[in-house]
DNA sequence: AGGGTTCCCTGTCGGC
DNA sequence: TGCCGACAGGGAACCC
């Protein structure tokens, strides 16, 4: 933080994609601005740059995005020259010789420049509508969110992926949270009993925080389907179709909700199958 | 307005 | 063995 940008560019690879080559602000305009802060909103990162003109960047890692930070120019060169196929999209070099590289294999990530936060949210309204922060939220706020008109009639397996409800949950932790809370993914949000709301609220925050502690390496070492690292060691249901439930030994089931896989134990995660 | 569907993108894997 | 289609994921664009 506080570093001054000496040069900034999208790579040739990045410029092949419209999400990078059609931006209204040139990335080279970041030169001589200072990186003031990076703020997280759900799964988005909002960069604030201050200079002659100020800029706001909307950044999302998508599935496979990652950042590498280097202290020396040489390390940056090594990264860019890697013989192994790389997927560098953005390079930022700072005046103190350090640098930062945004890699994104599957190109689901974002790095979009704006001249103000207002312009950013005009272009991406979803950013302004982000819900509770899944890492830390109060029971009251969770309860109110469950009671919202647009939420109360939805099945939890669907609702948990809605970033306007609780932000930060992805498809893996959706299933894991429900398993820990012992609640069916079919269960309708508005039908939750007080005890269930307590358990779900707790399990969401636990799962996400556990994932950060243990899962950092999983993401970093992400290699297609072969997840390496610690987070996967405690997955109870995700990707475990037909394996025994750790709680009751029944077979884990896989269903599709909104075109997404949901894994759960039909035996112990009881609930109305109304949808 | 709000819900549902399609598309973006690439590596892996199952099936023929 | 080799090719091909299906699949996975988060979220925006698009449709009705």
């Amino acid at each position: 933080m506080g570093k001054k940008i000496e040069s900034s560019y999208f790579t040739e690879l990045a410029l092949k994609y419209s999400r990078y080559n059609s931006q209204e602000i040139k990335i080279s305009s970041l030169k001589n601005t200072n990186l003031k802060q990076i703020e997280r909103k759900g799964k988005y990162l909002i960069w604030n740059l201050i200079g002659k003109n100020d800029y706001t960047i909307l950044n999302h890692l998508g599935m496979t995005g990652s950042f590498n930070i280097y202290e020396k120019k040489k390390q940056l060169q090594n990264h860019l020259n890697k013989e192994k196929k790389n997927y560098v999209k953005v390079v930022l070099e700072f005046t103190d010789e350090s640098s930062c590289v945004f890699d994104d294999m599957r190109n689901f990530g974002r790095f979009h420049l704006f001249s103000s936060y207002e312009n950013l949210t005009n272009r991406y309204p979803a950013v302004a509508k982000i819900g509770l922060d899944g890492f830390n939220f109060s029971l009251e706020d969770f309860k109110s969110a469950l009671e919202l008109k647009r939420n109360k009639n939805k099945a939890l397996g669907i609702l948990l992926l809605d970033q306007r409800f609780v932000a930060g949950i992805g498809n893996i932790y959706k299933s894991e949270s429900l398993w820990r809370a012992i609640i069916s993914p079919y269960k309708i949000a508005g039908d939750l009993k007080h005890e269930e709301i307590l358990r779900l609220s707790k399990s969401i925050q636990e799962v996400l925080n556990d994932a950060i502690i243990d899962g950092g390496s999983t993401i970093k070492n992400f290699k297609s389907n072969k997840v390496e690292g610690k987070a996967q060691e405690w997955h109870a249901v995700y990707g475990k179709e037909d394996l025994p439930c750790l709680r009751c030994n029944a077979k884990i089931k896989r269903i599709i909700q909104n075109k997404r896989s949901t894994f759960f134990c039909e035996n112990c995660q009881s609930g109305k199958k109304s949808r």
Side-chain angles (χ1 to χ4, degrees), chain A residues 41-57:
Chain A
K41 267 182 171 269
K43 300 181 190 172
Y44 292 103
L45 296 172
I46 313 287
W47 299 42
N48 290 306
L49 295 127
I50 307 293
K52 207 169 174 183
N53 295 303
D54 297 348
Y55 297 99
T56 301
I57 294 171

Side-chain angles (χ1 to χ4, degrees), chain A residues 172 218-219 221-232 235:
Chain A
I172 294 174
T218 297
I219 292 160
N221 297 332
F222 180 86
K223 291 205 166 102
S224 65
N225 285 341
K226 191 131 196 181
V227 178
E228 303 168 44
K230 288 181 188 166
Q232 151 260 12
H235 285 175

Side-chain angles (χ1 to χ4, degrees), chain A residues 97-141:
Chain A
E97 307 269 299
S98 65
S99 56
C100 162
V101 175
F102 179 49
D103 266 284
D104 183 18
M105 183 179 79
R106 291 195 184 173
N107 210 33
F108 271 26
R110 314 252 161 190
F111 198 93
H112 204 125
L113 284 61
F114 295 95
S115 54
S116 69
Y117 183 70
E118 198 191 342
N119 288 349
L120 187 158
T121 52
N122 280 341
R123 176 69 181 75
Y124 289 96
V127 177
K129 294 182 185 162
I130 286 294
L132 305 179
D133 181 17
F135 290 95
N136 192 343
F137 54 83
S138 73
L139 186 60
E140 296 129 76
D141 288 347

Side-chain angles (χ1 to χ4, degrees), chain A residues 55-77:
Chain A
Y55 297 99
T56 301
I57 294 171
L58 175 65
N59 178 210
H60 195 298
L61 300 183
M63 272 300 295
T64 52
S66 67
F67 276 100
N68 283 282
I69 293 164
Y70 298 116
E71 294 304 318
K72 306 265 160 83
K73 296 254 184 205
K74 202 175 188 174
Q75 298 168 310
L76 170 63
Q77 282 315 312

Side-chain angles (χ1 to χ4, degrees), chain A residues 223-261:
Chain A
K223 291 205 166 102
S224 65
N225 285 341
K226 191 131 196 181
V227 178
E228 303 168 44
K230 288 181 188 166
Q232 151 260 12
E233 286 173 16
W234 50 258
H235 285 175
V237 285
Y238 183 80
K240 311 248 179 198
E241 188 176 12
D242 290 339
L243 292 174
C245 170
L246 298 174
R247 234 178 350 236
C248 73
N249 233 32
K251 267 190 183 178
I252 301 298
K253 204 174 170 193
R254 170 176 180 257
I255 58 170
I256 302 292
Q257 295 180 299
N258 261 11
K259 303 257 174 196
R260 291 259 132 86
S261 292

